Amino acid sequence: MLYVITGPPASGKSSWIQARARATDIVIDLDKITLALSGPGAPQWNQDKLLIKVAQRARFAAIDEAVKHREETDVYLIHTMPSAKAKARYVRLGARIIVVDPGRDVVMQRVRDMRADGMVAVVSRWYAGQGKAGGPAVTRQSSRQW
């Protein structure tokens, strides 16, 4: 099964996957790919433009290969803001699309506490785009059970 996990930055997408995925499942997370390609001592959320470019190319290659194996193992893919074209592809692949969103106030506080200042704009863009989302039905999830 292919699970596409969406939601704003700092919403808990990685935590959602961590609570569900098995060691044999495939997890495609741009933050983890970027960190794996970073040098020693790099910050957890490395926003270096060149490094992100290389990590994105690695992510695309990982997606292309992983979807071939979605019948054999679960594939978890984090895609914060998939385009209409990407969503259509995921639907064609039979993906279950999960939106992890604990709410704008919680997300904004997490971003202020843990992320670079520029991420506030990304969060705002994510929430602004939700009114135009359309497309396939999604399953909304909070990042944690309270």
Side-chain angles (χ1 to χ4, degrees):
M1 169 62 87
L2 172 62
Y3 296 92
V4 178
I5 315 306
T6 70
S11 62
K13 298 179 296 293
S14 296
S15 296
W16 190 92
I17 292 170
Q18 185 71 27
R20 290 160 178 81
R22 299 176 310 242
T24 56
D25 291 337
I26 298 167
V27 176
I28 302 172
D29 179 338
L30 184 61
D31 290 339
K32 288 183 179 182
I33 293 169
T34 304
L35 187 59
L37 296 171
S38 298
Q44 183 174 358
W45 292 286
N46 193 337
Q47 300 301 317
D48 178 80
K49 289 183 184 197
L50 179 58
L51 188 56
I52 292 288
K53 182 177 181 177
V54 172
Q56 286 173 335
R57 296 296 295 246
R59 178 180 171 271
F60 292 141
I63 292 168
D64 288 345
E65 185 61 29
V67 297
K68 295 174 187 175
H69 305 286
R70 67 190 185 282
E71 302 296 326
E72 303 161 50
T73 191
D74 287 336
V75 176
Y76 294 87
L77 167 61
I78 294 178
H79 197 154
T80 298
M81 289 186 279
S83 65
K85 183 178 178 180
K87 284 182 188 177
R89 178 182 184 211
Y90 299 147
V91 169
R92 280 193 314 274
L93 292 169
R96 181 167 173 210
I97 300 174
I98 309 292
V99 179
V100 178
D101 179 14
R104 185 183 188 109
D105 292 341
V106 171
V107 169
M108 286 297 206
Q109 189 60 53
R110 289 178 183 172
V111 166
R112 286 185 196 103
D113 291 346
M114 301 184 307
R115 303 283 179 98
D117 293 336
M119 293 308 285
V120 170
V122 177
V123 170
S124 296
R125 196 168 75 236
W126 189 89
Y127 281 106
Q130 289 309 291
K132 307 172 201 161
V138 298
T139 303
R140 286 199 169 272
Q141 299 279 327
S142 295
S143 60
R144 293 188 177 89
Q145 297 291 338
W146 296 104

